[in-house]
């Protein structure tokens, strides 16, 4: 290994100030200012009122004062009390646009302040009231700001260190910067050891001991630099610091869970693998996402035909702690609305059925959100406007990727995709069998678009109907062929034809290609199931006609989706040889089991040969899926031939 050179900073004043600034710390205790009130004297200020007054009084015009709270509720309350034109609030409970607006305001002030003081030792922006930023943990990392004053609520040691890093970050406030640690009154605590905000009590207690010792160091040596202060602290509290910095044990997905997460389709009961234990564990602050639309709350958003508004956009969603939404907001209000993919309607759901990670729609009149405060849960706080309700997103039947400014034939698109896949796989120097699978999948991926139902949905006229098309302008969603049969997934039709060719004609490409054909839109992967009420389809593809009008006629094999299969048992009855393999066995061959693989791999269940690419695991399959998607995207964005109509 090459040893990297060590650069010595030396005694250069600017470098020392930047890399090792002064960050004095002390505790602010609101209760110390309280005195016994006389009968006719005004009531003593509450803790939050006293804290807000201290922050305002200690703020220096032209500089940044940063206040970091442990909870959104506390940050919102301080913002209400501080208010004014020179205050801004940052929390995780804003819609993206509002949060970006507030963040840009903070960064714009800091940019002006730094630009004015470039090359000087000053940290003040003249003729400016400065800025007071009240925030939660969102400011701990990824935000390059340098505050003269830091007010931080006592937090676990790693979080406290992150917050200290925002004090005098550029070293221009040496001799002026200071941090104040405060503790919100623990009124309402249920008992010892109960969580305080998002943190465990024991983590806070351990951090407080370190913070008290750090404050004592600064009291004895007010001008000591940050690194020297932490070195002193480590000399006396090394074990406590190491324990406070040790990562917490968190739930993690097992191998069998990862395999379950690989499936994006609902199971037999209509559910999905629950990811919440690994996203936020059992934290009561695990989130749901809420957004608003304009509709009558009593009548509801209407049926599918009434959903003419825009689909949900992540930028308009507001993250809300599930207990705040379920217990505080929905309590007494009845139900919320979540998207039911099978019925393609917004379904009314009880509060008890809301789970972490869900996206929930509310009528605008229900309120709960303020552009300046974020999520409040108060019905009086409402958006000024909201569009009418629409579908949740591009539905199972939707085919937005087939929209193009101009017309592109199916033959052209498949040829372009093959070229793109060849270029990608050669550049990556993949194994020859893998390259063959990806390139073949690209060449076949959209042959299902030749299906008469898919072509009939295109806005073709006259002579255009004699040609098979892959891309068309203004192509939104395929109409249902009949009331009880949904629109087809063209990639499922492509895979059914490729399946038939793979087993009947035994081409020279591996079965992996069939899987990549099926999954290139992410809506068909590990399961093939009926979408229509009569159950006589596969992902919307009807069993008649059973031949795609492509390349002289491509038969589709529907047997792979059957539950169970025919076959023969051996004479001793110990083995069974299926006559027609199923999709589940096929995917199992490619995916492999979640257990440790034995030295000798078992024979394949459905693949024709054990020498084909198989037992790839979820990550390799996901990677290969991304390659076929990339080839499709490149071909779609840069077609070699287009027809202008």
């Amino acid at each position: 290994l090459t040893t990297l050179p060590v650069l010595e900073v030396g005694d250069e004043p600017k470098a020392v100030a930047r890399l090792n600034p002064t960050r004095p710390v002390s505790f602010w205790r609101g209760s110390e200012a309280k005195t016994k009130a006389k009968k006719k004297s005004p009531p003593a200020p509450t803790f939050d009122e006293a804290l807000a007054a201290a922050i305002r009084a200690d703020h220096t015009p032209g500089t940044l004062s940063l206040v970091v709270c442990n909870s959104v509720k506390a940050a919102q309350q301080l913002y209400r009390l501080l208010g004014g034109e020179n205050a801004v609030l940052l929390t995780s409970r804003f819609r993206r646009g509002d949060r970006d607006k507030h963040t840009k305001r903070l960064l714009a002030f800091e940019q002006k302040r730094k630009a004015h003081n470039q090359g000087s030792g000053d940290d003040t922006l003249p003729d400016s009231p400065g800025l007071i930023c009240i925030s939660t943990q969102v400011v701990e990392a990824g935000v390059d700001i340098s505050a003269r004053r830091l007010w931080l609520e006592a937090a676990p040691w790693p979080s406290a260190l992150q917050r200290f890093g925002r004090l005098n970050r550029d070293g221009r406030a040496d001799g002026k910067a200071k941090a104040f640690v405060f503790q919100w009154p623990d009124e309402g605590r249920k008992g010892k050891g109960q969580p305080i905000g998002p943190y465990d009590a024991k983590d806070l207690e351990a951090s407080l001991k370190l913070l008290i010792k750090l404050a004592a160091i600064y009291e004895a040596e007010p001008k000591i630099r940050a690194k020297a202060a932490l070195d002193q602290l480590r000399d006396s509290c090394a074990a406590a610091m190491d324990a406070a910095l040790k990562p917490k044990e968190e739930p993690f997905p097992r191998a069998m869970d990862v395999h379950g997460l690989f499936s994006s389709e609902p199971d037999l009961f209509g559910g999905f693998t629950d990811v919440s234990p690994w996203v936020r564990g059992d934290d009561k602050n695990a989130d749901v996402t809420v957004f608003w639309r304009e509709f009558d709350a009593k009548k509801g958003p209407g049926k599918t035909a009434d959903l003419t508004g825009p689909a949900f956009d992540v930028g308009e969603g507001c993250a809300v702690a599930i207990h705040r939404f379920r217990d505080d907001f929905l309590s007494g209000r009845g139900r919320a609305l979540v998207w039911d993919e099978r019925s393609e309607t917004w379904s009314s759901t009880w509060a008890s059925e809301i789970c972490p990670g869900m996206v929930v729609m509310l009528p605008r009149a229900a309120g709960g959100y303020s552009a300046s405060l974020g999520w409040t849960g108060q019905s009086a706080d409402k958006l000024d406007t909201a569009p009418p309700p629409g579908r949740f997103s591009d539905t199972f039947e939707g085919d937005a990727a087939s929209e193009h400014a101009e017309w592109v034939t199916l033959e052209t698109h498949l040829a372009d995709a093959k070229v793109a896949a060849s270029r990608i796989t050669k550049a990556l120097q993949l194994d020859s069998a893998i390259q063959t699978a990806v390139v073949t999948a690209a060449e076949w991926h959209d042959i299902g678009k030749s299906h008469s139902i898919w072509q009939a949905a295109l806005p073709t006229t006259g002579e255009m109907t004699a040609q098979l098309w892959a891309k068309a302008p203004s192509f939104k969603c395929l109409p249902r062929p009949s009331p009880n049969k949904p629109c087809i997934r063209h990639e499922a039709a492509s895979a059914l034809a490729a399946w038939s060719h793979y087993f009947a004609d035994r081409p020279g490409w591996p079965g992996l290609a069939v899987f990549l054909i099926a999954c290139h839109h992410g809506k068909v992967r590990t399961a093939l199931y009926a979408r229509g009420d009569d159950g006589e389809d596969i992902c919307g593809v009807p069993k008649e006609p059973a031949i795609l009008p492509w390349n002289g006629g491509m038969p589709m094999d529907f047997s792979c989706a059957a539950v169970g299969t025919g076959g023969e048992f051996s004479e001793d009855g110990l083995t069974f040889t299926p006559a027609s393999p199923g999709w589940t066995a096929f995917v199992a061959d490619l995916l492999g089991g979640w257990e440790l693989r034995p030295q000798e791999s078992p024979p394949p269940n459905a693949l024709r040969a054990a020498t084909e690419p198989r037992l790839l695991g979820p990550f390799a399959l996901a990677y290969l899926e991304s390659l076929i998607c990339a080839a499709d995207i490149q071909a779609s964005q840069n077609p070699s031939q287009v027809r202008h109509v």
Side-chain angles (χ1 to χ4, degrees):
L1 295 176
T2 303
T3 302
L4 296 176
V6 177
L7 300 178
E8 297 290 343
V9 174
D11 297 326
E12 168 60 36
K14 292 182 180 179
V16 171
R18 187 66 184 262
L19 298 176
N20 192 15
T22 58
R23 288 169 177 159
V25 182
S26 64
F27 275 75
W28 182 87
R29 304 184 189 280
S31 57
E32 294 175 352
K34 291 185 178 180
T35 57
K36 189 174 181 180
K38 298 179 180 180
K39 283 186 178 181
K40 294 185 179 180
S41 63
T46 61
F47 177 87
D48 49 1
E49 290 172 340
L51 178 58
I55 294 169
R56 177 65 71 183
D58 196 60
H59 173 70
T60 302
T63 68
L64 173 66
S65 291
L66 178 62
V67 186
V68 188
C69 301
N70 291 346
S71 69
V72 174
K73 184 177 180 181
Q76 288 177 332
Q77 179 60 8
L78 283 178
Y79 178 77
R80 289 188 183 98
L81 293 168
L82 286 165
E85 295 182 358
N86 68 327
V88 65
L89 176 65
L90 288 181
T91 77
S92 60
R93 305 312 185 197
F94 279 105
R95 301 196 304 171
R96 181 186 293 175
D98 294 328
R99 179 173 166 177
D100 288 349
K101 179 180 177 182
H102 298 172
T103 303
K104 287 177 181 177
R105 185 181 171 196
L106 169 63
L107 296 179
F109 170 78
E110 277 292 87
Q111 186 176 12
K112 287 182 181 179
R113 185 187 64 79
K114 292 175 182 178
H116 182 271
N117 296 299
Q118 188 72 32
S120 72
D122 191 17
D123 69 330
T124 306
L125 180 63
D127 302 322
S128 168
L131 191 66
I132 300 176
C133 176
I134 305 98
S135 180
T136 56
Q137 301 93 314
V138 297
V139 81
E140 287 179 8
V143 182
D144 184 15
I145 55 177
S146 184
R148 178 185 283 200
R149 284 291 183 271
L150 172 65
W151 298 78
L152 68 152
E153 186 174 357
W157 187 241
S159 291
L161 290 177
Q162 287 283 358
R163 298 176 190 188
F164 284 135
R166 300 312 179 256
L167 174 66
N168 192 19
R169 187 178 180 88
D170 57 14
R172 293 175 181 165
D174 281 348
K176 306 170 188 174
K178 190 164 186 179
F180 296 97
V181 180
F182 64 89
Q183 290 178 267
W184 213 269
D186 55 3
E187 300 156 0
R189 292 264 306 275
K190 294 180 180 179
K192 188 176 181 180
Q194 292 295 316
I196 302 174
Y199 302 125
D200 290 337
K202 63 180 182 180
D203 294 332
L204 281 176
E205 291 167 3
S207 181
L208 273 171
K209 293 177 181 178
L210 294 172
L211 288 169
I212 290 171
K213 288 184 177 293
L214 184 62
I217 291 172
Y218 277 108
E219 186 176 3
E221 299 181 64
K223 295 183 179 180
I224 190 173
R225 293 198 174 270
K227 185 178 183 302
L230 289 175
D231 287 343
Q232 280 194 33
L233 183 63
R234 173 163 286 281
D235 289 341
S236 60
C237 307
M241 288 181 70
D242 289 341
L245 291 171
K246 185 178 180 180
K248 293 176 66 66
E249 294 183 0
E250 299 285 355
F252 62 91
R254 300 162 295 176
M256 62 184 300
D257 298 317
V258 174
H259 277 245
L261 291 168
F262 183 71
S263 176
S264 60
E265 300 90 351
D267 57 28
L268 293 176
F269 302 99
F272 296 85
T273 302
D274 184 9
V275 301
S276 59
W278 309 301
V279 177
R280 293 292 295 270
D282 295 325
D283 184 0
K284 68 175 183 178
N285 291 306
D287 296 341
V288 295
T289 299
V290 181
F291 74 106
W292 291 261
R293 287 290 183 264
E294 189 69 74
F295 62 92
D296 189 318
K298 293 182 178 179
K299 295 180 180 179
K303 297 182 179 181
T304 304
D306 302 320
L307 302 177
T308 58
F312 166 70
D313 182 273
V314 292
E316 59 183 344
C318 176
V320 183
I322 192 167
H323 76 286
R324 295 282 183 203
F325 183 71
R326 243 182 358 202
D327 304 335
D328 299 345
F329 184 77
L330 279 188
S331 179
R333 284 184 170 89
R335 300 185 176 190
L337 294 164
V338 296
W339 181 251
D340 185 337
E341 185 180 275
R342 288 190 178 276
S343 64
E344 295 185 10
T345 57
W346 288 98
S347 175
S348 186
T349 305
W350 290 109
S352 60
E353 298 172 322
I354 301 293
C355 299
M358 279 188 171
V359 178
V360 181
M361 183 173 72
L362 293 175
R364 187 186 68 84
Y369 184 84
S370 163
S372 60
L373 293 169
W375 173 264
T376 65
Q378 302 298 315
S379 56
D381 294 324
K382 298 180 177 68
L383 295 173
D384 293 333
T385 61
R391 296 169 180 249
F392 172 66
S393 64
D394 181 24
T395 63
F396 184 83
E397 292 82 8
D399 219 341
S402 295
E403 291 184 41
H404 194 273
E406 304 294 346
W407 293 83
V408 180
T409 67
L410 183 54
E411 182 179 10
T412 295
H413 178 63
L414 293 178
D416 291 343
K418 181 180 179 180
V419 170
S422 298
R423 182 170 57 247
I424 291 171
T425 54
K426 287 179 181 178
L428 294 172
Q429 298 182 350
L430 299 179
D431 175 84
S432 60
I434 297 291
Q435 284 195 43
T436 300
V438 175
V439 173
T440 301
E443 186 180 12
W444 284 61
H445 76 287
D446 270 358
I447 63 171
K449 288 183 177 180
S450 65
H451 198 288
S452 58
I453 294 176
W454 203 93
Q455 291 292 316
L458 297 174
T460 53
T461 58
E463 296 180 357
M464 296 179 66
T465 56
Q467 181 66 268
L468 294 175
W469 301 97
K471 306 290 178 181
S474 303
F475 177 44
K476 293 296 182 184
C477 183
L478 292 168
R480 295 180 180 275
S482 65
N484 69 332
K485 285 187 178 180
C487 315
I488 70 169
R489 284 308 316 173
H490 69 268
E491 66 270 31
S494 301
L496 294 175
W499 178 281
S500 175
H501 186 63
Y502 171 75
F503 285 104
D505 301 328
R506 307 183 72 82
W509 41 262
L512 173 61
V514 182
F515 176 81
L516 296 177
I517 290 169
C519 68
H520 78 270
H521 278 298
K523 297 184 179 182
V524 180
R525 182 175 288 113
T526 59
L528 299 179
Y529 56 95
R531 300 283 299 185
D533 296 336
D534 57 9
E536 293 297 314
D537 67 274
I538 292 181
C539 298
V541 182
K543 293 183 178 179
E544 293 295 336
I547 296 180
L548 291 178
W550 177 254
N551 196 26
M554 301 285 295
M556 293 182 286
D557 186 348
F558 289 79
S559 65
C560 57
V563 178
T565 183
E568 294 182 354
F569 281 98
S570 61
E571 292 183 3
D572 58 10
L574 297 178
T575 60
F576 177 79
T577 303
S580 176
W583 187 259
T584 302
F586 180 72
V587 172
D589 280 345
L590 296 170
L591 187 60
W594 55 267
E595 309 91 343
L596 287 175
R597 300 213 171 98
Q599 292 282 341
E600 295 184 7
S601 300
N605 298 302
L607 291 174
R608 295 197 317 257
T611 54
E612 291 188 26
R614 66 190 187 101
L615 308 178
L616 298 172
F619 296 104
L621 280 179
Y623 175 70
L624 295 175
E625 180 179 334
S626 71
L627 299 186
I628 188 67
C629 290
D632 188 17
I633 291 170
Q634 290 183 17
S636 299
Q637 292 179 341
N638 300 288
S640 58
Q641 291 183 345
V642 296
R643 177 168 175 177
H644 304 278
V645 177

